[in-house]
Amino acid sequence: MSTFTAPHVDWAHLSPVLIVLGAAAIGVLLEAFVPARLRRTVQLSFSLAALAGALIAVAALWSGVKSSGGVHVLGTALVVDGPTLVLQGTIALLAIVALLVVADRTSTGEDAFAPSAASVPGSDYEEAARRLGLQQTEVYPLLLFATGGMLIFPATADLLTLFVALEVLSLPLYLLTGMARRRRLLSQEAAMKYFLLGAFASALMLFGIALVYGYSGSLSYATIASTTANPTGTDSLLLVGAVMLLVGLLFKIGAVPFHAWTPDVYQGAPTPITGFMAACTKVAAFGALLRVVYTVIPGLKWDLDVVMWTVTILTMVVGTVIAMVQTDMKRLLAYSSVAHAGFILTGVVALTPGGVSAVLFYLLVYGAATIGAFGVVWLVRERDADGVVVGEATHLSQWAGLGRRHPWLAGSFALFLLSFAGIPLTAGFVGKFGVFSAAVDGGAWPLALLGVLASAGAAFFYVRIVVLMFFSDAPTEPAAGEPLEPSTQADVVLEGGATPAVATLVAERAPALTTTVVGTEGWATVSIGFCVLVTVLLGVFPTPVLDAIAHMSTFLP
Amino acid sequence: MSLDNYLVLAAILFSIGAATVLLRRNAIIVFMGVELMLNATNLLLVTFSRLHGQLDGQVLAFFVMVVAAAEVVVGLAIIVSIYRTRRSASVDDVNLLKS
C-alpha cells in the first residue's frame, strides 16, 4: 500500500483570503442561527472584523514578502508577491470603507436594500415587510464572498484559479445589484443586464483560456510564459486565445467597447454597492490584468499592442465624451469611471516596472475617491411635499446650490471630483502623473498625450458640477412640464396596478420634490471623512506610500 | 478522426451560443446560449487535455460545470424576480435604463 504524503500548504500566505472567505461562510450560518433583531449588529461587526483581520494579515506578511520577493502557494495556483500584497491590502481597506456606507441607515432606520429582495415590487408583501422592518442582512456575507474573490483574483498564478476567482467575485455582485430599496425595477433590470453580459464575457474568457491551454499545454502562468516567450510565426490559436482572455478582463474593468454594462449597473445598483463595486472590482480586475500582461504574455507584446492601444484610446475618449452629456449623477460617475479605466490602462500598456507601481497607486487613490463620491450621492436625497425623505436625488439639476446649505458635504464631493480631474494637491494628480510618465517611459507617449487631453476634457464636467453646487441657486421648484427623467416614467405594466407601495417603484418624482441631505447613523460620514483624508494626504505627501509601493511592485515570474 | 474535427465542432457550438446571446430576446434563451458557450468550451478543454496527454483540461472542465451550476442559481433567481414583477422575460421590455 502506498504511503500518503500530505500536500504542503502555506497557510500563512493564504491568510488574507482564508479569513475573508471563512468569515463569509460563517456569516451564512449566522444568518440562520442569530435572532433577527441582533442579526445586523452581529453581521456588521463580524464582517468589519474579518476585513480588518485580512488587512492585518497583509501587514504581517509585508516585510517577509518584501525581503523574499514572494512565494508560490498551493502548487502554482496562487502567488503571493509584492503586487499581490499591495492589491490585497488596497482591496481590504477599500472594502472596509465601502462596508461602512453599505451598513449605514437613515435616521428612520432604512438601509439601502429592499426589506425583502424576493418580494415583488409594489406588492402587499413588500409593504408588509417594510412595515415589519425586515432587513436583508445576507448582504454582509455576500459582500464578504465578493471581497474574497477579489482578494484571490490578482494573486492567481494559473488560469483555472483565474476563472474561479472571477466567478466568485462576480456572482455575489450580480445579486447585490438587484437588491435596491428604491427604484427596484431599475435595480432588477441592472442586475439582469450585469448578469447576462457578465456571463457572456466570462464564457468568452473561458474559451480564450481553453485556446491558450491548447497552445501551451499548461494552465500555469509560468509555463505559458515560457512557451509564448518566443512565438514562432503567428499561431492563431494563441493569438485568438490571448485576445479573448484579455476581453474577459477588460470587461470587468469596464473598458470600451466592453463597457456597455457600466452605466446601467452603476445607476441601477444600490448606491453603496455601486461604490464598493466601482472601487474594489476595478482594483482586483486591474491586478489580474497587470499580472497577465506583465508575466504571462509579454512575448506577444508586438501582436497585442494593437488591441491594447485601441482599447485604451477608445476608453479614454468615449468615457470622457459621453460623460460630458450625462444628466444623472450616477451615470456621470459611471462614465467617469470608464474614462479612468482608460487612464489606468495607459500605465498597463507602458509595460515598464514603473508602470506597475503607478497603476497600483492610481487604483488606491481612485478607489478612495470613488467610494467617497458614491457615499455622498447616497446621502443627498429627495424630499417630497410632506417632508418625507425618499430616494437619492441623482439628477444633476437637483444638486444646484447644495454647497450653500451643506458646505462640508458638498466640499468633500468637490474634493473627490477635483481628484478625479487630477488637479494638483489632490491624490488624483499624483496618480495621473504616475501612469502618464510611465507611459512616456514605455514609449507610449501618444497615449500619454491623449490621456492629458482627455483629462482636460474630463475636468470640464467635474468643474461644472462644482460650479453647480456652489455658485448656482437651488431651484425653488423644478421647471414645470420638464420631465426630469423621462425614461423612468415609462409605462410599466405591473400586476395589481397601482398599489400603496408604488413609491418603491421607478418614478419617484412628484413635482414638488426638494433636495436634502438625509440624517444617518453616521457610518457613511465616517467613510466619507476617511476618503477625504486619503485624497488630501496622498495628494500632499504621496512619497511614503509611493516608496512603499515602489518596493513591492515586482512580479514574481 | 483528426483533432481539427473536434476544434471545429467546438467553435461551431460556441458560435451558435454566442449568436443566441446576441440575437434572441427571451432572457432564459439568452441564458441557454451562455450555457452552450460554456459547454463548447468544455469540449475544447477535454480535447486539448487528450492532445497533451494530461488532466489539467479535464479538471478545468469539471470546475466549469460547477461554476455553470452556480451561475444558473444566481441567474434564474434574477430572471424569475424580474418575471414576477413584469410578467415578461423579454430583454427588450427591460429598457428603463437608457443613456
Side-chain angles (χ1 to χ4, degrees), chain A residues 360-494:
Chain A
L360 296 181
F361 183 81
Y362 198 122
L363 287 170
L364 173 64
V365 300
Y366 168 77
T370 303
I371 294 177
F374 279 107
V376 176
V377 173
W378 191 63
L379 291 178
V380 177
R381 298 298 184 93
E382 295 168 336
R383 191 167 46 186
D384 65 13
D386 304 330
V388 180
V389 173
V390 285
E392 285 105 350
T394 54
H395 197 274
L396 280 189
S397 65
Q398 293 174 301
W399 287 62
L402 191 73
R404 302 200 180 161
R405 283 167 289 137
H406 302 280
W408 285 102
L409 196 72
S412 41
F413 195 66
L415 179 72
F416 299 139
L417 292 179
L418 293 179
S419 178
F420 284 147
I423 305 293
L425 290 184
T426 61
F429 172 74
V430 185
K432 274 196 177 138
F433 184 78
V435 289
F436 292 153
S437 47
V440 172
D441 288 345
W445 64 266
L447 289 184
L449 181 67
L450 197 69
V452 172
L453 291 177
S455 301
F460 160 73
F461 59 79
Y462 293 130
V463 172
R464 196 183 63 179
I465 299 174
V466 175
V467 171
L468 182 76
M469 285 195 301
F470 285 95
F471 302 109
S472 57
D473 290 320
T476 44
E477 60 184 278
E482 183 205 0
L484 287 173
E485 225 174 273
S487 60
T488 59
Q489 290 166 0
D491 284 329
V492 179
V493 182
L494 284 172

Side-chain angles (χ1 to χ4, degrees), chain A residues 251-275:
Chain A
F251 173 86
K252 275 289 151 208
I253 286 161
V256 180
F258 317 109
H259 71 294
W261 60 279
T262 318
D264 288 352
V265 174
Y266 279 25
Q267 187 188 358
T271 312
I273 293 300
T274 313

